[in-house]
Amino acid sequence: MNFDFSDEQKQLRDEARKFLADRCSPATVRVILEGPEPYDRALWKGLGEMGFLGAAIPEAYGGVGLGHLELCVIAEELGRANAPVPMASSIYLAAEALMLWGTEAQKTAWLPRLASGAAVGTLALGEGVGRVTERTIKAQMAGGKLSGVKMPVADGDVADVAVVAAREATGVSLYLVDLAGPGVSRETLETIDPTRSQARIIFDGAPAERLGEAGQGWRLASDLLDRAAVLMAFEQVGGSDRALEMARDYALERMAFGRQIGSFQAIKHMLADMYVAATLARSNAYYGAWALSTDSPELPVAAATARVSATQAYQHCAKNNIQVHGGMGFTWAFDCHLFYRRANALALALGSQTTWEDLLIERMRRRNDAPAAA
Amino acid sequence: MNFDDTPQEAAFRAQVRAWIDANAPKELEAELKQATFGNSGLTSGDPIALAKAWQKKKADAGWACLHWPPEYGGRGATPIERVIWGQEEGVYGSLGGLFIIGHGMCGPTLMAWASEEQKRKLLPPLASGEEVWCQLFSEPAGGSDLAGLRTRAERANDGTGDWIIRGQKIWTSGAQNSDYGILITRTDPDVPKHKGLTMFWLSMKSPGVEIRPIKQANGQSGFNEVFFTDVRIPDAQRLGAVGQGWTVSLTTLMNERLSIGSGMPTGFPELFDYCLNLQTEDGPAVDNPMVRSRLAQYAVKASGLKYTGMRAISALSKGETPGPENSIGKLVAGASMQELAMFALDLQGETGVINDPRHAQAAQKFQAMLLRSPATRVEGGTDEILRNIIAERVLGLPGDIRVDKDVPFKDIPTSGRG
Ligand SMILES: Cc1cc2nc3c(=O)[nH]c(=O)nc-3n(C[C@H](O)[C@H](O)[C@H](O)COP(=O)(O)OP(=O)(O)OC[C@H]3O[C@@H](n4cnc5c(N)ncnc54)[C@H](O)[C@@H]3O)c2cc1C
């Protein structure tokens, strides 16, 4: 038993942190927040060159062939830096789906480009307000052509390829759609976190190829979301830690009533509670990382655990970071709101907190009913 | 990152499992499973005798305090092996409640500060449970403000070098069952409070020691008042230098947080089980979305604590010393058990109030948790003190303003009113 990353993995983390300190300062995040660009293309390219995008993609498909533990380490750093890039959509979801279920031709066509950052992928699952379930998937597949409206699709405005859930006679399946092809129109949506874009995509007879087993689309999508949830939890853990650090630094610097505000117990205890939430989330994320990297039967429970805990921690740390900063925390100029926006956007990406809470308990219950492993 | 056993760990686990299977008091298993928080659940015999019998059996086979060096009654096991032992001991581990303070706090303090000869004499019977120890720290004047203690130790004026103890301790868990205790005293009231303290160990049978049980808010009597009337302690029983008591006490308190904090019960497995079985008008309670949401919140706290503990063990295995971050265990477990107990009672509707063994079999656990959990948030450092520790020693925030820090102890005011 060893509940820690290896020295090599920690070295990779230091490398990623250094790279992002150089290339993804809060000022560069603000360029995306305030400008017309949907994501930081230069940073994205750099992440590809560093091998960070392809960390878990096999070398045969243009990746670095490390593994998911390494990808977790990188995800945490991207979360810390609030990186404005389509990592989750392209790597945790699209590349992951292709690696799991892609045919040789599909993998060869897309994985090398996703690994280098030359192409962006995404998952188009939900179609409107509320929890996404199998029944809410209305998009139709007929004669190799896909039609329907997907919203929101993370990074859907910039993606080159999408994994799309749609219905055919056999039930829901996943399909791969080249978004540059015919029958695709899209619009960018305004969101609470402009550093990560969202789109509405209208498919109107778009050519599509099936990805994975027919009629198993919902099960596959759930498996995919579990894997992404672990990686996302690391982004959230990274963000939590950074928000806590910002609050701590400000508490040491800001004076009121002739003393550092960090000497008031109300502030100290608020920070202690942020630390507690972030620490529990980190430990749960490690459990998820292990389950993901070993394809453990524990993964459904571990992923939901990591996810629920990380969402809680990041929202808690991000909102109290603003509180510690007082009026400054509510200015556009201070970075607190970047983390507040991101925390609340990530809390919804891949499904809301109540959805994951529900999944967690359902899965624990199923595990409980299953006959004990031999 | 590997949550599975290595081959050596698996072999060790098999060895532990086989020994427990052959030796555990299986006749007690059913009763132990009925245990409620704060009560061993044992009715078929004297709980203390049963606890001591199991501990002695373990000690004879080398399984007591297994992480201690063999010469002090352990087997020099690694931190991970200790975890494996705990997992395998399972329900029988709850027989060890009597020894938590001795093994978790007094033992490590003796190991750090007693003479070699004393360690060889005192530690093996402490490990084997033949001798029970208690911690005589808190006083009426202060638990959080431990350094404000008033129990005096003065040199006997007969040239023996012995010390004469006068004063009172309070909240001493298990004093009534203890053979020995570690005792922190004031030897110099003319210097600031942290500087005038000295630590000793003593026999609880010493003339002049009087123990009076205190009835607790949950109706039981686990803790006591202990009075010292001219109790004589030889100088050889001093731990650390005269005036060094504060430093010595930090050894105990750090170990206290490690041993109380790691593997603390949160009540979650019991609540989950209860919700699986509780039938409501709409089916089992666990089907209700509101129940699920609450369960999930407790679930991630329980697992977060478990894996935080395991990360600490991994760090310990690599030779890192356990630090103030271990304060998190008790802070989370105490508060979460209290909330969870209230939630469990709420699920029972008006019958949640019933605490009658004839009518509330399964549920009684939560009533006991409700009534015991306030203590968890106080004992061994209150929630507020733990938050201060995290804020100051983990996050590096300024210490509280201490108006009494540089004042000679005898000049510190003692009452908040007038
Ligand atoms: C079940 C139980 C078993 C115990 N067993 C033992 C034992 O075996 N041996 C032993 O020595 N002691 C034992 N204790 C005592 C325990 O350590 C003390 O009760 C505890 O440290 C609190 O001290 P106090 O009771 O004096 O409360 P106080 O220190 O008076 O605290 C009262 C309130 O003030 C708050 N407070 C105090 N100081 C601060 C501060 N600086 N900042 C913010 N808030 C503050 C506290 O958090 C608390 O809410 C036990 C207690 C319990 C409940």
Side-chain angles (χ1 to χ4, degrees), chain A residues 337-360:
Chain A
H337 70 109
L338 298 180
F339 291 86
Y340 186 66
R341 289 169 184 279
R342 181 63 67 81
N344 286 290
L346 292 188
L348 302 169
L350 312 177
S352 68
Q353 183 73 332
T354 42
T355 300
W356 284 100
E357 287 173 346
D358 185 63
L359 289 172
L360 172 58

Side-chain angles (χ1 to χ4, degrees), chain B residues 256-267:
Chain B
E256 174 166 31
R257 274 164 209 134
L258 243 193
S259 71
I260 301 194
S262 56
M264 287 273 309
T266 58

Side-chain angles (χ1 to χ4, degrees), chain A residues 1-7 9-10 69 234 244 247-248 251-252 259-260 262-265 267-273 275-277 279-284 286-290 293-294 298 304-306 308-309 312 354 356-362 364-365 368-369, chain B residues 1-6 9 13 80 83-84 87 268 272-273 276 284 286-287 289 291-297 299-311 314 318 320 325 328 331-332 383-388 390-392 394-401:
Chain A
M1 285 183 271
N2 174 23
F3 294 73
D4 198 3
F5 286 103
S6 68
D7 289 344
Q9 287 156 352
K10 289 180 184 165
L69 290 176
F234 274 90
L244 169 58
R248 193 256 332 260
L252 289 171
R259 46 199 270 214
Q260 291 162 294
S263 68
F264 297 118
Q265 275 197 353
I267 298 286
K268 286 166 74 170
H269 291 191
M270 200 189 311
L271 287 161
D273 286 339
Y275 171 82
V276 167
T279 301
L280 295 179
R282 174 175 295 280
S283 302
N284 282 321
Y286 281 23
Y287 169 46
W290 165 79
S293 68
T294 56
E298 286 283 297
T305 301
V308 170
S309 189
Q312 223 165 48
T354 42
W356 284 100
E357 287 173 346
D358 185 63
L359 289 172
L360 172 58
I361 297 306
E362 180 55 32
M364 290 184 72
R365 177 194 195 171
N368 209 63
D369 290 344
Chain B
M1 190 94 61
N2 182 4
F3 286 44
D4 290 324
D5 288 346
T6 62
E9 286 162 3
R13 188 183 295 279
I80 300 273
V83 170
I84 292 174
Q87 290 169 343
F268 175 72
F272 183 62
D273 205 48
L276 286 176
V286 72
D287 282 350
V291 172
R292 286 188 182 211
S293 171
R294 290 288 286 269
L295 280 176
Q297 289 165 25
V300 303
K301 279 193 184 152
S303 83
L305 269 193
K306 174 172 162 198
Y307 297 119
T308 300
M310 297 300 235
R311 283 172 56 213
S314 290
K318 286 179 198 150
E320 291 169 33
E325 60 281 353
I328 187 173
L331 180 59
V332 175
D383 284 5
E384 293 69 35
I385 294 298
L386 297 182
R387 286 196 177 91
N388 261 4
I390 291 172
E392 293 170 21
V394 180
L395 300 175
L397 292 159
D400 285 354
I401 291 173

